[in-house]
Amino acid sequence: MSTNNPIRVVSPSEVVINNKVYIRVTSHLVLSAHLNAANNLFGGLLVQWADECAGIYVMEILKTHHVVTKKISEVLFNEPAKLGDVLEFLCCVKSVGKTSITVECVTRAKQIDTEDRLRTILNCDLVFVKIDKFGRSTHHNFVLEES
Ligand SMILES: CC(C)(COP(=O)(O)OP(=O)(O)OC[C@H]1O[C@@H](n2cnc3c(N)ncnc32)[C@H](O)[C@@H]1OP(=O)(O)O)[C@@H](O)C(=O)NCCC(=O)NCCS
């Protein structure tokens, strides 16, 4: 086997934007049932999907489903999503506290058959808190690795 051209294996779920590494956590296809009266994706549903995506991401990190959303920051809807768009939901850890983790979520949309461009349609930060069996905040003991 030739060693001249080593193959660099990159995780298919990693996406680099402006030198920041995000993990592609979930995807959704925009169907007609998801549209509002202006024929755009309903914003509330998009926020729900972002919350779900970031929640899964945090649950994977902390290896527990005992987490709740404490805060969703200002939500920027940069561009509308349209029928048939494939959406990808990307997350990265922004900061880590004792009981909380703040996650940045970016959503990008692509119209598969007519364009190659990925449109960034949503940006927001979400704070998740680990809870104990009584629903009280509890230490998660997660430490962010130095990069
Ligand atoms: C999450 C919950 C248990 C936290 O209760 P609390 O009294 O705020 O707990 P604490 O004061 O210990 O704060 C917990 C963490 O939230 C952070 N926090 C509290 N208020 C915050 C705010 N306004 N913005 C950002 N973070 C905040 C704290 O800094 C702390 O993080 P840290 O330990 O990493 O520093 C409680 O608010 C709750 O149950 N909320 C409802 C959650 C929910 O139902 N979400 C929707 C469905 S998942």
Side-chain angles (χ1 to χ4, degrees):
M1 195 160 81
S2 165
T3 53
N4 291 341
N5 297 307
I7 296 170
R8 185 166 163 253
V9 179
V10 177
S11 164
S13 63
E14 282 186 6
V15 175
V16 180
I17 305 172
N18 296 333
N19 294 323
K20 230 194 263 184
V21 179
Y22 295 81
I23 302 296
R24 189 185 292 110
V25 183
T26 52
S27 296
H28 285 278
L29 172 65
V30 179
L31 303 174
S32 45
H34 302 144
L35 302 182
N36 61 19
N39 268 341
N40 294 329
L41 172 64
F42 176 55
L45 185 55
L46 183 52
V47 174
Q48 179 185 323
W49 287 342
D51 186 23
E52 174 195 69
C53 159
I56 292 170
Y57 180 63
V58 171
M59 285 188 257
E60 292 275 7
I61 290 173
L62 299 183
K63 301 288 176 225
T64 177
H65 59 266
H66 286 106
V67 291
V68 289
T69 315
K70 176 72 182 179
K71 178 178 178 179
I72 301 180
S73 73
E74 179 188 42
V75 179
L76 281 178
F77 298 103
N78 300 312
E79 288 192 42
K82 297 289 185 181
L83 180 66
D85 275 348
V86 175
L87 310 185
E88 59 176 27
F89 291 78
L90 316 174
C91 288
C92 71
V93 174
K94 249 191 129 168
S95 61
V96 174
K98 288 192 177 75
T99 66
S100 71
I101 295 186
T102 302
V103 169
E104 179 186 350
C105 181
V106 173
T107 309
R108 303 196 299 182
K110 185 173 176 176
Q111 193 63 226
I112 293 283
D113 46 4
T114 58
E115 61 175 326
D116 289 332
R117 192 172 70 93
L118 278 161
R119 292 170 281 127
T120 299
I121 60 165
L122 172 134
N123 285 84
C124 65
D125 294 342
L126 304 96
V127 179
F128 288 85
V129 175
K130 183 179 177 188
I131 52 166
D132 62 17
K133 62 182 177 182
F134 304 108
R136 296 177 305 217
S137 61
T138 185
H139 285 211
H140 51 54
N141 300 317
F142 174 73
V143 181
L144 201 54
E145 278 175 25
E146 295 290 326
S147 56

